[in-house]
Short mmCIF file of all heavy atoms in Angstrom, two decimals:
data_model
loop_
_atom_site.label_atom_id
_atom_site.label_comp_id
_atom_site.label_asym_id
_atom_site.label_seq_id
_atom_site.Cartn_x
_atom_site.Cartn_y
_atom_site.Cartn_z
N MET A 1 -1.83 -3.90 21.69
CA MET A 1 -2.74 -4.93 21.20
C MET A 1 -3.82 -4.30 20.35
O MET A 1 -3.92 -3.10 20.22
CB MET A 1 -3.37 -5.68 22.38
CG MET A 1 -2.36 -6.39 23.25
SD MET A 1 -1.48 -7.68 22.36
CE MET A 1 -2.80 -8.91 22.17
N GLY A 2 -4.66 -5.12 19.76
CA GLY A 2 -5.72 -4.60 18.92
C GLY A 2 -5.77 -5.34 17.61
O GLY A 2 -4.75 -5.84 17.13
N SER A 3 -6.93 -5.39 17.04
CA SER A 3 -7.07 -6.09 15.77
C SER A 3 -6.65 -5.20 14.62
O SER A 3 -6.76 -3.98 14.69
CB SER A 3 -8.53 -6.52 15.58
OG SER A 3 -9.36 -5.39 15.53
N ARG A 4 -6.16 -5.84 13.59
CA ARG A 4 -5.76 -5.11 12.41
C ARG A 4 -6.64 -5.53 11.25
O ARG A 4 -6.97 -6.70 11.11
CB ARG A 4 -4.30 -5.41 12.06
CG ARG A 4 -3.32 -4.67 12.98
CD ARG A 4 -1.91 -5.12 12.69
NE ARG A 4 -0.95 -4.30 13.44
CZ ARG A 4 0.34 -4.59 13.54
NH1 ARG A 4 0.82 -5.67 12.97
NH2 ARG A 4 1.15 -3.82 14.20
N ILE A 5 -7.00 -4.57 10.46
CA ILE A 5 -7.82 -4.87 9.29
C ILE A 5 -6.92 -4.89 8.07
O ILE A 5 -6.37 -3.85 7.68
CB ILE A 5 -8.93 -3.81 9.12
CG1 ILE A 5 -9.81 -3.79 10.36
CG2 ILE A 5 -9.73 -4.12 7.87
CD1 ILE A 5 -10.85 -2.71 10.33
N TRP A 6 -6.75 -6.05 7.49
CA TRP A 6 -5.90 -6.19 6.32
C TRP A 6 -6.72 -5.89 5.07
O TRP A 6 -7.81 -6.40 4.90
CB TRP A 6 -5.32 -7.60 6.25
CG TRP A 6 -4.56 -7.96 7.49
CD1 TRP A 6 -5.00 -8.76 8.50
CD2 TRP A 6 -3.25 -7.52 7.86
NE1 TRP A 6 -4.03 -8.85 9.47
CE2 TRP A 6 -2.94 -8.11 9.11
CE3 TRP A 6 -2.31 -6.69 7.25
CZ2 TRP A 6 -1.74 -7.88 9.75
CZ3 TRP A 6 -1.10 -6.48 7.91
CH2 TRP A 6 -0.83 -7.07 9.14
N VAL A 7 -6.17 -5.11 4.22
CA VAL A 7 -6.86 -4.74 2.99
C VAL A 7 -5.91 -4.96 1.81
O VAL A 7 -4.70 -4.90 1.96
CB VAL A 7 -7.31 -3.26 3.03
CG1 VAL A 7 -8.33 -3.06 4.13
CG2 VAL A 7 -6.12 -2.34 3.22
N PRO A 8 -6.48 -5.24 0.63
CA PRO A 8 -5.64 -5.42 -0.55
C PRO A 8 -5.08 -4.10 -1.03
O PRO A 8 -5.69 -3.04 -0.85
CB PRO A 8 -6.60 -6.03 -1.58
CG PRO A 8 -7.95 -5.53 -1.18
CD PRO A 8 -7.92 -5.42 0.33
N GLY A 9 -3.91 -4.17 -1.63
CA GLY A 9 -3.29 -2.95 -2.14
C GLY A 9 -1.90 -3.23 -2.65
O GLY A 9 -1.39 -4.35 -2.52
N LEU A 10 -1.30 -2.22 -3.22
CA LEU A 10 0.06 -2.36 -3.74
C LEU A 10 1.04 -1.88 -2.68
O LEU A 10 1.00 -0.73 -2.25
CB LEU A 10 0.21 -1.52 -5.02
CG LEU A 10 1.63 -1.55 -5.63
CD1 LEU A 10 2.00 -2.96 -6.08
CD2 LEU A 10 1.68 -0.59 -6.82
N CYS A 11 1.91 -2.78 -2.26
CA CYS A 11 2.85 -2.46 -1.19
C CYS A 11 3.84 -1.39 -1.65
O CYS A 11 4.39 -1.47 -2.76
CB CYS A 11 3.59 -3.72 -0.76
SG CYS A 11 4.82 -3.40 0.51
N SER A 12 4.07 -0.42 -0.79
CA SER A 12 5.04 0.63 -1.11
C SER A 12 6.47 0.14 -0.93
O SER A 12 7.41 0.79 -1.38
CB SER A 12 4.80 1.85 -0.21
OG SER A 12 3.51 2.37 -0.42
N GLY A 13 6.62 -1.00 -0.26
CA GLY A 13 7.96 -1.50 0.00
C GLY A 13 8.44 -2.47 -1.07
O GLY A 13 9.44 -2.24 -1.73
N CYS A 14 7.68 -3.57 -1.25
CA CYS A 14 8.13 -4.61 -2.16
C CYS A 14 7.36 -4.59 -3.48
O CYS A 14 7.60 -5.42 -4.33
CB CYS A 14 7.99 -5.98 -1.49
SG CYS A 14 6.30 -6.40 -1.03
N LYS A 15 6.43 -3.63 -3.61
CA LYS A 15 5.66 -3.48 -4.85
C LYS A 15 4.87 -4.73 -5.17
O LYS A 15 4.65 -5.05 -6.33
CB LYS A 15 6.59 -3.12 -6.02
CG LYS A 15 7.51 -1.96 -5.73
CD LYS A 15 6.73 -0.70 -5.43
CE LYS A 15 7.69 0.47 -5.18
NZ LYS A 15 6.96 1.69 -4.77
N ASP A 16 4.46 -5.45 -4.14
CA ASP A 16 3.69 -6.68 -4.35
C ASP A 16 2.24 -6.41 -3.95
O ASP A 16 1.97 -5.93 -2.85
CB ASP A 16 4.29 -7.79 -3.49
CG ASP A 16 3.65 -9.14 -3.80
OD1 ASP A 16 2.66 -9.18 -4.55
OD2 ASP A 16 4.14 -10.16 -3.29
N ASP A 17 1.32 -6.72 -4.87
CA ASP A 17 -0.09 -6.48 -4.56
C ASP A 17 -0.83 -7.78 -4.27
O ASP A 17 -2.05 -7.82 -4.25
CB ASP A 17 -0.77 -5.72 -5.70
CG ASP A 17 -0.77 -6.52 -7.00
OD1 ASP A 17 -0.18 -7.61 -7.03
OD2 ASP A 17 -1.35 -6.03 -7.98
N SER A 18 -0.09 -8.86 -4.08
CA SER A 18 -0.73 -10.15 -3.83
C SER A 18 -0.80 -10.48 -2.34
O SER A 18 -1.35 -11.50 -1.97
CB SER A 18 0.03 -11.26 -4.57
OG SER A 18 1.33 -11.41 -4.05
N GLN A 19 -0.22 -9.61 -1.52
CA GLN A 19 -0.21 -9.87 -0.09
C GLN A 19 -1.19 -8.93 0.61
O GLN A 19 -1.38 -7.79 0.19
CB GLN A 19 1.20 -9.61 0.48
CG GLN A 19 2.27 -10.51 -0.11
CD GLN A 19 2.15 -11.95 0.37
OE1 GLN A 19 1.58 -12.22 1.42
NE2 GLN A 19 2.67 -12.88 -0.42
N PRO A 20 -1.82 -9.41 1.69
CA PRO A 20 -2.66 -8.52 2.49
C PRO A 20 -1.78 -7.52 3.22
O PRO A 20 -0.65 -7.83 3.60
CB PRO A 20 -3.37 -9.46 3.46
CG PRO A 20 -2.44 -10.63 3.60
CD PRO A 20 -1.78 -10.77 2.26
N GLY A 21 -2.30 -6.34 3.41
CA GLY A 21 -1.51 -5.33 4.10
C GLY A 21 -2.41 -4.29 4.73
O GLY A 21 -3.60 -4.51 4.91
N MET A 22 -1.84 -3.15 5.07
CA MET A 22 -2.63 -2.11 5.71
C MET A 22 -2.07 -0.74 5.35
O MET A 22 -0.90 -0.59 5.02
CB MET A 22 -2.63 -2.29 7.22
CG MET A 22 -1.26 -2.18 7.85
SD MET A 22 -1.28 -2.65 9.59
CE MET A 22 -2.52 -1.53 10.23
N ARG A 23 -2.97 0.24 5.39
CA ARG A 23 -2.56 1.60 5.08
C ARG A 23 -1.98 2.26 6.33
O ARG A 23 -2.54 2.15 7.41
CB ARG A 23 -3.74 2.42 4.58
CG ARG A 23 -4.24 1.96 3.21
CD ARG A 23 -5.29 2.91 2.70
NE ARG A 23 -5.86 2.46 1.44
CZ ARG A 23 -6.91 1.66 1.33
NH1 ARG A 23 -7.49 1.21 2.42
NH2 ARG A 23 -7.38 1.31 0.15
N LEU A 24 -0.90 2.94 6.12
CA LEU A 24 -0.29 3.68 7.21
C LEU A 24 -0.55 5.17 6.99
O LEU A 24 -1.31 5.55 6.10
CB LEU A 24 1.20 3.39 7.27
CG LEU A 24 1.56 1.91 7.42
CD1 LEU A 24 3.06 1.74 7.46
CD2 LEU A 24 0.92 1.30 8.65
N SER A 25 0.08 5.99 7.76
CA SER A 25 -0.12 7.43 7.63
C SER A 25 0.30 7.90 6.24
O SER A 25 1.18 7.31 5.61
CB SER A 25 0.68 8.17 8.69
OG SER A 25 2.04 7.86 8.57
N GLN A 26 -0.33 8.95 5.79
CA GLN A 26 -0.06 9.43 4.45
C GLN A 26 1.33 10.03 4.34
O GLN A 26 1.85 10.62 5.28
CB GLN A 26 -1.09 10.49 4.05
CG GLN A 26 -2.47 9.89 3.79
CD GLN A 26 -3.38 10.91 3.16
OE1 GLN A 26 -3.24 12.10 3.40
NE2 GLN A 26 -4.30 10.45 2.35
N VAL A 27 1.89 9.85 3.17
CA VAL A 27 3.19 10.43 2.88
C VAL A 27 2.97 11.66 2.00
O VAL A 27 2.31 11.58 0.97
CB VAL A 27 4.09 9.42 2.15
CG1 VAL A 27 5.42 10.07 1.79
CG2 VAL A 27 4.31 8.19 3.02
N HIS A 28 3.52 12.77 2.43
CA HIS A 28 3.30 14.01 1.69
C HIS A 28 4.45 14.27 0.72
O HIS A 28 5.60 14.25 1.09
CB HIS A 28 3.15 15.18 2.66
CG HIS A 28 1.94 15.06 3.52
ND1 HIS A 28 0.70 15.54 3.15
CD2 HIS A 28 1.77 14.47 4.72
CE1 HIS A 28 -0.17 15.26 4.10
NE2 HIS A 28 0.44 14.61 5.06
N HIS A 29 4.06 14.50 -0.50
CA HIS A 29 5.04 14.83 -1.52
C HIS A 29 4.84 16.28 -1.95
O HIS A 29 3.86 16.92 -1.57
CB HIS A 29 4.88 13.91 -2.74
CG HIS A 29 5.05 12.46 -2.40
ND1 HIS A 29 6.26 11.86 -2.21
CD2 HIS A 29 4.13 11.48 -2.21
CE1 HIS A 29 6.08 10.59 -1.92
NE2 HIS A 29 4.80 10.32 -1.90
N ASP A 30 5.74 16.75 -2.76
CA ASP A 30 5.61 18.11 -3.27
C ASP A 30 4.33 18.27 -4.09
O ASP A 30 3.71 19.32 -4.11
CB ASP A 30 6.81 18.47 -4.14
CG ASP A 30 8.08 18.57 -3.30
OD1 ASP A 30 7.94 18.72 -2.07
OD2 ASP A 30 9.17 18.49 -3.87
N ALA A 31 3.96 17.19 -4.78
CA ALA A 31 2.78 17.24 -5.65
C ALA A 31 1.51 16.88 -4.90
O ALA A 31 0.43 16.92 -5.48
CB ALA A 31 2.98 16.30 -6.83
N GLY A 32 1.61 16.55 -3.64
CA GLY A 32 0.41 16.21 -2.89
C GLY A 32 0.68 15.11 -1.90
O GLY A 32 1.83 14.87 -1.53
N ALA A 33 -0.38 14.45 -1.46
CA ALA A 33 -0.23 13.39 -0.47
C ALA A 33 -0.69 12.08 -1.07
O ALA A 33 -1.63 12.02 -1.84
CB ALA A 33 -1.06 13.71 0.76
N ALA A 34 -0.02 11.02 -0.71
CA ALA A 34 -0.38 9.69 -1.17
C ALA A 34 -0.41 8.74 0.01
O ALA A 34 0.42 8.86 0.91
CB ALA A 34 0.63 9.19 -2.22
N PRO A 35 -1.36 7.83 0.03
CA PRO A 35 -1.41 6.87 1.13
C PRO A 35 -0.24 5.91 1.07
O PRO A 35 0.19 5.50 -0.01
CB PRO A 35 -2.74 6.14 0.91
CG PRO A 35 -3.00 6.27 -0.55
CD PRO A 35 -2.42 7.60 -0.96
N LEU A 36 0.28 5.58 2.22
CA LEU A 36 1.39 4.63 2.29
C LEU A 36 0.81 3.27 2.63
O LEU A 36 0.20 3.08 3.67
CB LEU A 36 2.40 5.06 3.35
CG LEU A 36 3.57 4.09 3.55
CD1 LEU A 36 4.40 3.97 2.28
CD2 LEU A 36 4.44 4.56 4.70
N TYR A 37 0.97 2.34 1.71
CA TYR A 37 0.44 1.00 1.92
C TYR A 37 1.59 0.02 2.05
O TYR A 37 2.51 0.02 1.24
CB TYR A 37 -0.46 0.62 0.74
CG TYR A 37 -1.03 -0.78 0.87
CD1 TYR A 37 -2.23 -0.99 1.52
CD2 TYR A 37 -0.35 -1.87 0.36
CE1 TYR A 37 -2.74 -2.27 1.66
CE2 TYR A 37 -0.86 -3.15 0.49
CZ TYR A 37 -2.06 -3.34 1.14
OH TYR A 37 -2.55 -4.60 1.27
N VAL A 38 1.55 -0.79 3.09
CA VAL A 38 2.62 -1.75 3.32
C VAL A 38 1.99 -3.12 3.57
O VAL A 38 1.04 -3.24 4.33
CB VAL A 38 3.48 -1.35 4.53
CG1 VAL A 38 4.64 -2.33 4.72
CG2 VAL A 38 4.00 0.07 4.36
N CYS A 39 2.54 -4.14 2.92
CA CYS A 39 1.99 -5.48 3.05
C CYS A 39 2.44 -6.11 4.38
O CYS A 39 3.35 -5.62 5.03
CB CYS A 39 2.39 -6.35 1.87
SG CYS A 39 4.13 -6.80 1.85
N GLU A 40 1.78 -7.20 4.72
CA GLU A 40 2.05 -7.84 6.01
C GLU A 40 3.51 -8.26 6.17
O GLU A 40 4.11 -8.00 7.21
CB GLU A 40 1.12 -9.04 6.18
CG GLU A 40 1.29 -9.71 7.54
CD GLU A 40 0.32 -10.85 7.74
OE1 GLU A 40 -0.40 -11.21 6.80
OE2 GLU A 40 0.30 -11.39 8.85
N PRO A 41 4.12 -8.93 5.18
CA PRO A 41 5.53 -9.31 5.34
C PRO A 41 6.43 -8.11 5.61
O PRO A 41 7.37 -8.20 6.42
CB PRO A 41 5.86 -9.98 4.00
CG PRO A 41 4.55 -10.51 3.52
CD PRO A 41 3.54 -9.48 3.95
N CYS A 42 6.16 -6.99 4.94
CA CYS A 42 6.99 -5.81 5.15
C CYS A 42 6.75 -5.22 6.53
O CYS A 42 7.67 -4.75 7.19
CB CYS A 42 6.70 -4.76 4.08
SG CYS A 42 7.43 -5.17 2.47
N ILE A 43 5.50 -5.25 6.99
CA ILE A 43 5.20 -4.74 8.33
C ILE A 43 5.91 -5.57 9.38
O ILE A 43 6.49 -5.05 10.33
CB ILE A 43 3.68 -4.74 8.58
CG1 ILE A 43 3.02 -3.69 7.69
CG2 ILE A 43 3.39 -4.47 10.05
CD1 ILE A 43 1.51 -3.71 7.78
N ARG A 44 5.88 -6.88 9.19
CA ARG A 44 6.57 -7.76 10.14
C ARG A 44 8.07 -7.48 10.13
O ARG A 44 8.74 -7.62 11.15
CB ARG A 44 6.29 -9.22 9.80
CG ARG A 44 4.85 -9.60 10.01
CD ARG A 44 4.65 -11.10 9.87
NE ARG A 44 3.24 -11.46 9.95
CZ ARG A 44 2.55 -11.54 11.09
NH1 ARG A 44 3.17 -11.28 12.22
NH2 ARG A 44 1.29 -11.87 11.10
N GLY A 45 8.58 -7.08 8.97
CA GLY A 45 9.99 -6.75 8.89
C GLY A 45 10.30 -5.49 9.67
O GLY A 45 11.40 -5.33 10.21
N LEU A 46 9.30 -4.57 9.72
CA LEU A 46 9.51 -3.32 10.45
C LEU A 46 9.41 -3.54 11.95
O LEU A 46 10.04 -2.84 12.73
CB LEU A 46 8.46 -2.29 10.03
CG LEU A 46 8.56 -1.79 8.59
CD1 LEU A 46 7.36 -0.91 8.26
CD2 LEU A 46 9.85 -1.02 8.39
N GLU A 47 8.57 -4.51 12.33
CA GLU A 47 8.33 -4.74 13.75
C GLU A 47 9.28 -5.79 14.27
O GLU A 47 8.88 -6.88 14.65
CB GLU A 47 6.88 -5.14 13.98
CG GLU A 47 5.91 -4.04 13.60
CD GLU A 47 4.47 -4.47 13.83
OE1 GLU A 47 4.25 -5.67 13.99
OE2 GLU A 47 3.60 -3.59 13.82
N GLU A 48 10.54 -5.47 14.27
CA GLU A 48 11.52 -6.42 14.78
C GLU A 48 11.48 -6.44 16.30
O GLU A 48 11.16 -5.43 16.93
CB GLU A 48 12.91 -6.04 14.29
CG GLU A 48 13.02 -6.13 12.77
CD GLU A 48 14.40 -5.69 12.31
OE1 GLU A 48 15.19 -5.25 13.16
OE2 GLU A 48 14.67 -5.81 11.11
N PRO A 49 11.81 -7.56 16.86
CA PRO A 49 11.84 -7.66 18.32
C PRO A 49 12.78 -6.63 18.92
O PRO A 49 13.78 -6.25 18.31
CB PRO A 49 12.34 -9.08 18.59
CG PRO A 49 12.03 -9.85 17.33
CD PRO A 49 12.15 -8.83 16.21
N ARG A 50 12.44 -6.21 20.11
CA ARG A 50 13.29 -5.22 20.78
C ARG A 50 14.65 -5.83 21.11
O ARG A 50 14.73 -7.00 21.47
CB ARG A 50 12.62 -4.77 22.09
CG ARG A 50 11.40 -3.92 21.87
CD ARG A 50 10.67 -3.74 23.18
NE ARG A 50 10.19 -5.04 23.72
CZ ARG A 50 9.59 -5.20 24.87
NH1 ARG A 50 9.39 -4.17 25.64
NH2 ARG A 50 9.18 -6.39 25.26
N PRO A 51 15.67 -5.05 20.99
CA PRO A 51 17.00 -5.54 21.36
C PRO A 51 17.01 -6.04 22.80
O PRO A 51 16.38 -5.45 23.67
CB PRO A 51 17.89 -4.32 21.20
CG PRO A 51 17.18 -3.46 20.21
CD PRO A 51 15.71 -3.69 20.47
N ALA A 52 17.74 -7.10 23.02
CA ALA A 52 17.75 -7.72 24.34
C ALA A 52 18.25 -6.76 25.41
O ALA A 52 17.79 -6.78 26.53
CB ALA A 52 18.61 -8.98 24.31
N HIS A 53 19.17 -5.89 25.02
CA HIS A 53 19.74 -4.99 26.03
C HIS A 53 18.78 -3.89 26.45
O HIS A 53 19.03 -3.14 27.37
CB HIS A 53 21.05 -4.38 25.54
CG HIS A 53 20.89 -3.53 24.32
ND1 HIS A 53 21.08 -4.01 23.05
CD2 HIS A 53 20.56 -2.24 24.18
CE1 HIS A 53 20.86 -3.05 22.17
NE2 HIS A 53 20.55 -1.97 22.82
N ASN A 54 17.63 -3.81 25.73
CA ASN A 54 16.62 -2.82 26.12
C ASN A 54 15.52 -3.46 26.97
O ASN A 54 14.62 -2.77 27.42
CB ASN A 54 15.97 -2.20 24.88
CG ASN A 54 16.87 -1.12 24.27
OD1 ASN A 54 17.84 -0.70 24.90
ND2 ASN A 54 16.55 -0.68 23.09
N ALA A 55 15.60 -4.75 27.16
CA ALA A 55 14.58 -5.43 27.95
C ALA A 55 14.65 -4.95 29.41
O ALA A 55 15.72 -4.90 30.01
CB ALA A 55 14.78 -6.94 27.89
N ALA A 56 13.48 -4.59 29.93
CA ALA A 56 13.44 -4.11 31.30
C ALA A 56 13.38 -5.28 32.27
O ALA A 56 12.62 -6.21 32.09
CB ALA A 56 12.24 -3.21 31.50
N ALA A 57 14.14 -5.20 33.30
CA ALA A 57 14.12 -6.25 34.31
C ALA A 57 12.94 -6.04 35.24
O ALA A 57 12.67 -4.94 35.68
CB ALA A 57 15.43 -6.23 35.12
N ILE A 58 12.23 -7.11 35.49
CA ILE A 58 11.09 -7.02 36.37
C ILE A 58 11.45 -7.55 37.75
O ILE A 58 11.91 -8.68 37.86
CB ILE A 58 9.88 -7.84 35.80
CG1 ILE A 58 9.50 -7.26 34.43
CG2 ILE A 58 8.71 -7.81 36.76
CD1 ILE A 58 8.41 -8.04 33.74
ZN1 LIG B 101 5.66 -5.42 0.98
#
């Protein structure tokens, strides 16, 4: 849990700068490091629900 601070930026995934998003850990390239920015729709795409077979029985 926790609040997220959405900031404007150019998404590294869909190249869309019209969506709110957030900066993730930096990506290091040979020429240096660049911030990885991903918009909200792309983040939601990454955070898929856990597979049902991984659900723990209580
Ligand atoms: Zn995106």
